[in-house]
Amino acid sequence: MQESQAINDPADFETVSLDHAINRILAKDLLSPIDVPAADNSAMDGYAFDGKCLATNNPDVTLKIVGTALAGKPFEGKIGVGECLKIMTGALMPADCDTVIPQEFTASSSDELISFKSDLLKAGDNRRLRGEDLQKGKAAISAGRLLRPSDLGLAASLGIATLKVRRKLKVAILSSGDELRSLGQALDAGSIYDSNRYSLTGLLNRLDLEIIDCGIVRDDPHVLKQAFIEAASKADVLISSGGVSVGEADFTKQIMQELGDVGFWKIAMRPGRPMAFGILKPVPGKSPARKTLFFGLPGNPVAVMVTFYQFVRSALLQLNGAQQTEPPLVQAISETAIRKKPGRTEFQRAILGRNSEGKPTVRLTGSQGAGILRSMSEANCFVILMHDQGNIAAGDWVDIALFDGLL
Ligand code: AMP
Ligand code: MG
């Protein structure tokens, strides 16, 4: 897709220190400058010895302890036949040893001798090999990874202090509707507070993007058009909410035809049926000249979050070069019956728990209207009922998507 290439311009990366790299997307393969581990070492607390002695028919092995090796304090001497080295996890393996017997499998008749059954292990056991985790010159983390805590630890284990990450996408948000009021304003008859910009800000912050808040825009074609032009001049992506339902859509449609190529959709899903998606042409003077991706989400507060989850989240990640963008689905047992008409995908809000047998269960969070944000706030997952699915009986397994880390 041309647009994603434009935003994925190879020059569009920046270098950040590890403590600022969480949730960013790695721009280039991170090549390991070293072997990890750098040398063979012990995987257990125990005794290191030459595993050849296990090949004899003797069922019992007795070895003399000739020294000790600790992590960071290697043993310098030699280990001969019939000898062993007391060794701690992470300590370097001496050159003449290849096997470690864990301490708990040994008996000792004196301070100097240990014995164990030879069938408890094979030559080479309990040793971590040089380069076993990562080999020098190979990719330790591939480009496109959404960086998680383990990735930062991994980079640090290689001695790497900075990472090349994609620049943050600039995402403009606006709310449209004459009835909307900003926080701090008084509510007059028929008006409501604009909540969508705050849920969207939260959703976007989870993805660590640069947010451009374009505020509330009245249902007036001229004002709306100016707001779209203004947002498109600054942002890679514009997300609006409201003004795409029947009636209003015609009016937004007309503006969109002038500004770019935008389609209006009636999606077979609930909540979130009306939606607009398309591309706004580059605004004159915008540098570099880039198109702006546009998502016109429905106005209902739950529909905004559901359509964001279903369409916008993955698109934003993909646009910025992320490799894995689809959140995982898992299954749980529905505690109650759920009414569902085939022919549309439904996103019901629910709480994941466990039953007395330890199996995962879900129960819906009260009334599921598209405007009832409390159903979302109390939930920790969506129950996703697929397009062709009909009614669900209590005890049926259903697909769920967990909010944690996503929403
Ligand atoms: P619309 O899609 O503009 O027809 O809006 C659908 C419903 O969502 C209406 O009840 C609107 O009042 C409500 N709504 C639209 N935008 C917002 C917003 N930013 N915050 C809260 N509710 C909204
Ligand atoms: Mg409206």
Side-chain angles (χ1 to χ4, degrees), residues 175-177 179-180 192-197 219 241-245 248 274 297-301:
S175 295
S176 77
E179 76 282 25
L180 302 178
I192 57 168
Y193 285 119
D194 168 16
S195 61
N196 289 346
R197 263 186 311 137
D219 289 322
S241 71
V244 291
S245 49
E248 286 181 313
L297 306 184
N300 270 312

Side-chain angles (χ1 to χ4, degrees), residues 198-256:
Y198 295 89
S199 348
L200 278 173
T201 299
L203 290 164
L204 293 167
N205 274 331
R206 286 273 205 196
L207 298 178
D208 202 11
L209 302 164
E210 193 179 322
I211 301 168
I212 302 169
D213 187 347
C214 298
I216 297 173
V217 181
R218 277 186 292 125
D219 289 322
D220 171 319
H222 300 291
V223 179
L224 201 57
K225 185 173 173 185
Q226 274 317 306
F228 278 125
I229 292 173
E230 171 77 12
S233 72
K234 296 181 192 158
D236 302 304
V237 179
L238 167 61
I239 305 172
S240 72
S241 71
V244 291
S245 49
V246 182
E248 286 181 313
D250 294 341
F251 145 70
T252 318
K253 220 182 239 175
Q254 173 205 328
I255 303 172
M256 287 303 164

Side-chain angles (χ1 to χ4, degrees), residues 117-383:
K117 300 278 176 213
S118 63
D119 60 0
L120 285 174
L121 77 174
K122 301 186 301 299
D125 276 2
N126 303 315
R127 171 185 53 158
R128 299 177 186 144
L129 291 172
R130 172 182 181 157
E132 174 180 286
D133 276 358
L134 294 167
Q135 283 158 18
K136 187 176 172 178
K138 294 256 173 71
I141 311 174
S142 302
R145 170 76 58 81
L146 180 64
L147 294 165
R148 295 172 303 181
S150 52
D151 300 315
L152 309 185
L154 187 61
S157 76
L158 302 176
I160 292 170
T162 59
L163 294 174
K164 289 191 172 67
V165 296
R166 299 270 184 186
R167 81 162 163 85
K168 293 186 185 188
L169 285 183
K170 294 189 179 117
V171 181
I173 53 173
L174 65 81
S175 295
S176 77
D178 282 342
E179 76 282 25
L180 302 178
R181 298 290 175 271
S182 291
L183 300 185
Q185 284 185 319
L187 284 187
D188 41 329
S191 63
I192 57 168
Y193 285 119
D194 168 16
S195 61
N196 289 346
R197 263 186 311 137
Y198 295 89
S199 348
L200 278 173
T201 299
L203 290 164
L204 293 167
N205 274 331
R206 286 273 205 196
L207 298 178
D208 202 11
L209 302 164
E210 193 179 322
I211 301 168
I212 302 169
D213 187 347
C214 298
I216 297 173
V217 181
R218 277 186 292 125
D219 289 322
D220 171 319
H222 300 291
V223 179
L224 201 57
K225 185 173 173 185
Q226 274 317 306
F228 278 125
I229 292 173
E230 171 77 12
S233 72
K234 296 181 192 158
D236 302 304
V237 179
L238 167 61
I239 305 172
S240 72
S241 71
V244 291
S245 49
V246 182
E248 286 181 313
D250 294 341
F251 145 70
T252 318
K253 220 182 239 175
Q254 173 205 328
I255 303 172
M256 287 303 164
Q257 269 157 9
E258 294 168 37
L259 296 182
D261 182 11
V262 176
F264 287 75
W265 308 89
K266 289 197 180 81
I267 299 167
M269 67 186 277
R270 198 169 90 148
R273 197 165 107 99
M275 211 188 119
F277 170 71
I279 289 153
L280 306 180
K281 285 185 286 208
V283 170
K286 185 182 180 186
S287 171
R290 279 179 177 151
K291 296 170 184 173
T292 300
L293 224 56
F294 169 65
F295 293 91
L297 306 184
N300 270 312
V302 180
V304 166
M305 299 193 79
V306 171
T307 48
F308 182 94
Y309 161 80
Q310 183 66 5
F311 301 107
V312 186
R313 182 182 178 277
S314 290
L316 293 176
L317 287 170
Q318 250 175 56
L319 212 55
N320 216 11
Q323 290 300 330
Q324 271 190 347
T325 60
E326 290 300 327
L329 289 186
V330 290
Q331 287 212 311
I333 298 165
S334 181
E335 282 183 17
T336 58
I338 307 174
R339 288 164 65 93
K340 160 76 170 60
K341 278 193 205 145
R344 67 183 182 209
T345 304
E346 289 193 10
F347 297 79
Q348 309 245 358
R349 280 76 69 201
I351 297 171
L352 177 70
R354 274 180 195 280
N355 64 15
S356 54
E357 293 163 34
K359 299 230 171 81
T361 56
V362 272
R363 72 185 154 83
L364 302 185
T365 53
S367 175
Q368 296 282 315
I372 302 176
L373 203 47
R374 196 158 65 94
S375 69
M376 196 71 202
S377 171
E378 286 172 3
N380 63 11
C381 65
F382 286 129
V383 169

